[in-house]
Coordinates of all heavy atoms in Angstrom, one line a residue:
S156 N -26.1 10.7 -6.6 CA -24.8 11.2 -6.4 C -24.7 12.5 -7.4 O -23.9 12.6 -8.3 CB -23.8 10.2 -6.8 OG -23.8 9.2 -5.9
D157 N -25.8 13.5 -7.3 CA -25.8 14.5 -8.2 C -25.6 15.8 -7.4 O -26.0 16.9 -7.8 CB -27.1 14.5 -9.0 CG -28.3 14.4 -8.2 OD1 -28.1 14.2 -6.9 OD2 -29.4 14.4 -8.8
A158 N -25.0 15.7 -6.2 CA -24.7 17.0 -5.4 C -23.5 17.7 -5.9 O -22.6 17.1 -6.5 CB -24.5 16.5 -3.9
D159 N -23.5 19.1 -5.8 CA -22.4 19.9 -6.2 C -21.1 19.5 -5.7 O -20.0 19.6 -6.3 CB -22.6 21.3 -6.0 CG -23.8 21.9 -6.8 OD1 -24.2 21.2 -7.8 OD2 -24.5 22.9 -6.4
V160 N -21.1 19.0 -4.4 CA -19.7 18.7 -3.8 C -18.9 17.6 -4.6 O -17.7 17.6 -4.4 CB -19.9 18.2 -2.3 CG1 -20.3 19.3 -1.4 CG2 -20.8 17.0 -2.2
R161 N -19.6 16.9 -5.4 CA -18.9 15.9 -6.1 C -17.8 16.6 -7.0 O -16.7 16.1 -7.3 CB -19.8 14.9 -7.0 CG -20.8 14.2 -6.3 CD -20.4 12.7 -6.4 NE -20.3 12.1 -7.8 CZ -20.0 10.9 -8.0 NH1 -20.0 10.1 -7.0 NH2 -19.7 10.5 -9.2
E162 N -18.1 17.8 -7.5 CA -17.1 18.5 -8.4 C -15.8 18.8 -7.7 O -14.7 18.7 -8.3 CB -17.9 19.7 -8.9 CG -18.8 19.4 -10.0 CD -19.8 20.5 -10.3 OE1 -19.6 21.6 -9.9 OE2 -20.8 20.3 -11.1
K163 N -15.9 19.1 -6.4 CA -14.7 19.5 -5.6 C -13.8 18.2 -5.6 O -12.6 18.3 -5.4 CB -15.1 19.9 -4.2 CG -15.7 21.3 -4.1 CD -15.8 21.7 -2.7 CE -16.6 22.9 -2.5 NZ -17.0 23.2 -1.1
E164 N -14.4 17.1 -5.7 CA -13.6 15.8 -5.6 C -13.2 15.4 -7.0 O -12.5 14.3 -7.1 CB -14.5 14.7 -5.1 CG -14.9 14.9 -3.6 CD -13.8 14.5 -2.7 OE1 -13.4 13.4 -2.8 OE2 -13.4 15.2 -1.7
G165 N -13.7 16.1 -8.1 CA -13.3 15.8 -9.5 C -14.2 14.7 -9.9 O -13.7 13.8 -10.8
L166 N -15.3 14.4 -9.4 CA -16.3 13.4 -9.8 C -17.5 13.9 -10.6 O -18.0 14.9 -10.2 CB -16.7 12.6 -8.5 CG -15.7 12.0 -7.6 CD1 -16.4 11.6 -6.3 CD2 -15.1 10.8 -8.3
P167 N -17.9 13.2 -11.6 CA -19.0 13.6 -12.3 C -20.3 13.4 -11.6 O -20.3 12.5 -10.7 CB -19.0 12.8 -13.6 CG -18.2 11.5 -13.1 CD -17.3 11.9 -12.0
K168 N -21.3 14.2 -11.9 CA -22.7 13.9 -11.1 C -23.3 12.7 -11.9 O -23.1 12.4 -13.0 CB -23.5 15.0 -11.1 CG -23.0 16.2 -10.5 CD -24.0 17.4 -10.7 CE -23.4 18.7 -10.0 NZ -24.4 19.8 -10.0
R169 N -24.0 11.9 -11.0 CA -24.7 10.7 -11.4 C -26.0 10.4 -10.7 O -26.0 10.7 -9.4 CB -23.7 9.5 -11.3 CG -24.0 8.2 -12.0 CD -23.0 7.2 -11.9 NE -22.9 6.9 -10.5 CZ -21.6 6.9 -9.9 NH1 -20.5 7.1 -10.7 NH2 -21.4 6.7 -8.7
A170 N -27.0 10.1 -11.3 CA -28.2 9.6 -10.6 C -29.0 8.6 -11.4 O -28.8 8.5 -12.6 CB -29.2 10.8 -10.4
G171 N -29.6 7.6 -10.6 CA -30.4 6.7 -11.4 C -30.6 5.3 -10.5 O -29.9 5.2 -9.4
L172 N -31.3 4.4 -11.0 CA -31.5 3.1 -10.4 C -30.3 2.4 -10.4 O -29.6 2.2 -11.4 CB -32.7 2.4 -11.0 CG -33.1 1.1 -10.4 CD1 -33.8 1.4 -9.0 CD2 -34.0 0.3 -11.2
V173 N -30.0 1.8 -9.3 CA -28.7 0.9 -9.2 C -29.1 -0.5 -9.1 O -28.5 -1.4 -9.7 CB -27.9 1.4 -7.9 CG1 -26.7 0.5 -7.8 CG2 -27.4 2.7 -8.1
L174 N -30.0 -0.9 -8.1 CA -30.3 -2.2 -8.0 C -31.9 -2.4 -7.6 O -32.4 -1.5 -7.1 CB -29.6 -2.8 -6.8 CG -28.2 -3.2 -7.0 CD1 -27.5 -3.4 -5.5 CD2 -28.0 -4.5 -7.7
G175 N -32.4 -3.5 -8.0 CA -33.8 -3.8 -7.6 C -34.8 -3.0 -8.5 O -34.6 -2.7 -9.6
K176 N -35.9 -2.6 -7.8 CA -37.1 -2.0 -8.5 C -37.0 -0.6 -8.6 O -36.4 0.1 -7.6 CB -38.4 -2.4 -7.7 CG -38.9 -3.7 -8.1 CD -40.3 -3.9 -7.7 CE -40.6 -3.7 -6.2 NZ -42.0 -4.1 -5.8
Q177 N -37.4 0.0 -9.6 CA -37.4 1.4 -9.7 C -38.5 2.0 -8.7 O -39.7 1.5 -8.6 CB -37.9 1.8 -11.1 CG -38.3 3.3 -11.4 CD -37.0 4.2 -11.6 OE1 -36.0 3.7 -11.9 NE2 -37.2 5.5 -11.3
P178 N -38.1 3.0 -7.8 CA -39.1 3.5 -6.9 C -40.3 4.2 -7.7 O -40.2 4.6 -8.7 CB -38.3 4.4 -6.1 CG -37.0 4.6 -6.7 CD -36.9 3.6 -7.8
P179 N -41.5 4.1 -6.9 CA -42.5 4.8 -7.6 C -42.4 6.3 -7.7 O -41.4 6.8 -7.0 CB -43.7 4.6 -6.6 CG -43.1 4.2 -5.3 CD -41.8 3.6 -5.7
E180 N -43.1 7.0 -8.5 CA -42.9 8.5 -8.6 C -42.9 9.1 -7.2 O -42.1 10.0 -7.0 CB -44.1 9.1 -9.4 CG -43.8 10.5 -9.7 CD -45.0 11.1 -10.6 OE1 -46.0 10.4 -10.8 OE2 -44.8 12.2 -11.0
Y181 N -43.7 8.7 -6.3 CA -43.8 9.2 -4.8 C -43.8 8.0 -3.9 O -44.7 7.3 -4.0 CB -45.0 10.1 -4.6 CG -45.2 11.2 -5.6 CD1 -46.3 11.3 -6.4 CD2 -44.2 12.3 -5.7 CE1 -46.4 12.5 -7.3 CE2 -44.3 13.3 -6.6 CZ -45.4 13.4 -7.4 OH -45.6 14.3 -8.3
I182 N -42.8 8.1 -3.0 CA -42.8 7.0 -2.1 C -43.5 7.6 -0.9 O -43.3 8.7 -0.4 CB -41.3 6.7 -1.6 CG1 -40.5 6.2 -2.8 CG2 -41.4 5.7 -0.5 CD1 -39.0 5.8 -2.5
E183 N -44.5 6.8 -0.3 CA -45.2 7.3 0.9 C -44.4 6.9 2.1 O -43.9 5.7 2.4 CB -46.6 6.6 0.9 CG -47.3 7.3 2.1 CD -48.8 6.8 2.2 OE1 -49.4 6.5 1.1 OE2 -49.3 6.7 3.4
I184 N -44.2 7.8 3.0 CA -43.5 7.6 4.4 C -44.4 8.1 5.4 O -45.3 8.9 5.2 CB -42.2 8.2 4.4 CG1 -42.2 9.8 4.1 CG2 -41.3 7.6 3.4 CD1 -41.3 10.6 5.0
H185 N -44.1 7.8 6.7 CA -44.8 8.4 7.7 C -43.8 9.0 8.8 O -42.7 8.4 8.9 CB -45.8 7.4 8.5 CG -45.2 6.3 9.1 ND1 -44.7 6.3 10.4 CD2 -44.9 5.0 8.6 CE1 -44.1 5.2 10.7 NE2 -44.2 4.4 9.8
E186 N -44.1 10.0 9.4 CA -43.3 10.7 10.4 C -44.3 11.5 11.3 O -45.1 12.2 10.8 CB -42.4 11.7 9.7 CG -41.6 12.5 10.6 CD -40.9 13.8 10.0 OE1 -40.0 13.6 9.3 OE2 -41.6 14.9 10.2
N187 N -44.1 11.3 12.6 CA -45.0 12.0 13.6 C -46.5 11.8 13.3 O -47.2 12.9 13.4 CB -44.6 13.5 13.7 CG -43.2 13.7 14.1 OD1 -42.5 12.9 14.9 ND2 -42.5 14.8 13.5
E188 N -46.8 10.7 13.0 CA -48.3 10.4 12.6 C -48.7 11.1 11.4 O -49.8 11.0 11.0 CB -49.2 10.8 13.8 CG -49.1 9.8 15.0 CD -50.0 10.0 16.0 OE1 -51.1 10.7 15.8 OE2 -49.7 9.7 17.2
C189 N -47.8 11.8 10.6 CA -48.3 12.3 9.4 C -47.7 11.4 8.3 O -46.8 10.7 8.4 CB -47.6 13.8 9.2 SG -48.1 15.0 10.5
R190 N -48.5 11.6 7.1 CA -48.0 10.9 5.9 C -47.3 12.0 4.9 O -47.9 13.0 4.9 CB -49.2 10.1 5.3 CG -49.8 9.1 6.3 CD -51.2 8.8 5.8 NE -51.4 7.9 4.7 CZ -52.4 7.7 4.1 NH1 -53.6 8.2 4.5 NH2 -52.5 6.8 3.0
F191 N -46.3 11.5 4.3 CA -45.7 12.3 3.4 C -45.3 11.6 2.0 O -45.4 10.4 2.0 CB -44.4 12.9 3.9 CG -44.5 13.9 4.9 CD1 -44.4 13.6 6.3 CD2 -44.8 15.2 4.7 CE1 -44.6 14.5 7.3 CE2 -44.9 16.2 5.6 CZ -44.8 15.8 7.0
L192 N -45.2 12.4 1.0 CA -44.8 11.8 -0.4 C -43.4 12.3 -0.6 O -43.3 13.4 -0.5 CB -45.8 12.2 -1.4 CG -47.2 11.7 -1.3 CD1 -48.2 12.3 -2.2 CD2 -47.4 10.1 -1.3
V193 N -42.6 11.3 -1.0 CA -41.2 11.7 -1.3 C -40.9 11.4 -2.8 O -41.0 10.3 -3.2 CB -40.2 11.0 -0.4 CG1 -38.8 11.5 -0.6 CG2 -40.6 11.3 1.1
D194 N -40.4 12.4 -3.4 CA -39.9 12.2 -4.8 C -38.4 12.0 -4.8 O -37.6 12.9 -4.8 CB -40.3 13.4 -5.6 CG -39.8 13.4 -7.1 OD1 -39.1 12.5 -7.4 OD2 -40.1 14.3 -7.8
V195 N -38.0 10.8 -4.7 CA -36.5 10.5 -4.6 C -35.7 10.8 -5.7 O -34.5 11.0 -5.7 CB -36.2 9.0 -4.0 CG1 -36.9 8.9 -2.6 CG2 -36.7 8.0 -4.9

Side-chain angles (χ1 to χ4, degrees):
S156 299
D157 51 359
D159 291 340
V160 288
R161 294 250 311 181
E162 282 163 9
K163 289 190 189 167
E164 294 277 310
L166 300 168
K168 293 183 184 180
R169 191 178 54 232
L172 183 69
V173 175
L174 282 167
K176 282 200 293 194
Q177 173 76 23
E180 187 179 11
Y181 304 118
I182 300 179
E183 185 179 328
I184 56 147
H185 65 86
E186 177 198 278
N187 298 329
E188 288 184 24
C189 301
R190 296 157 76 190
F191 288 98
L192 296 171
V193 183
D194 176 353
V195 299

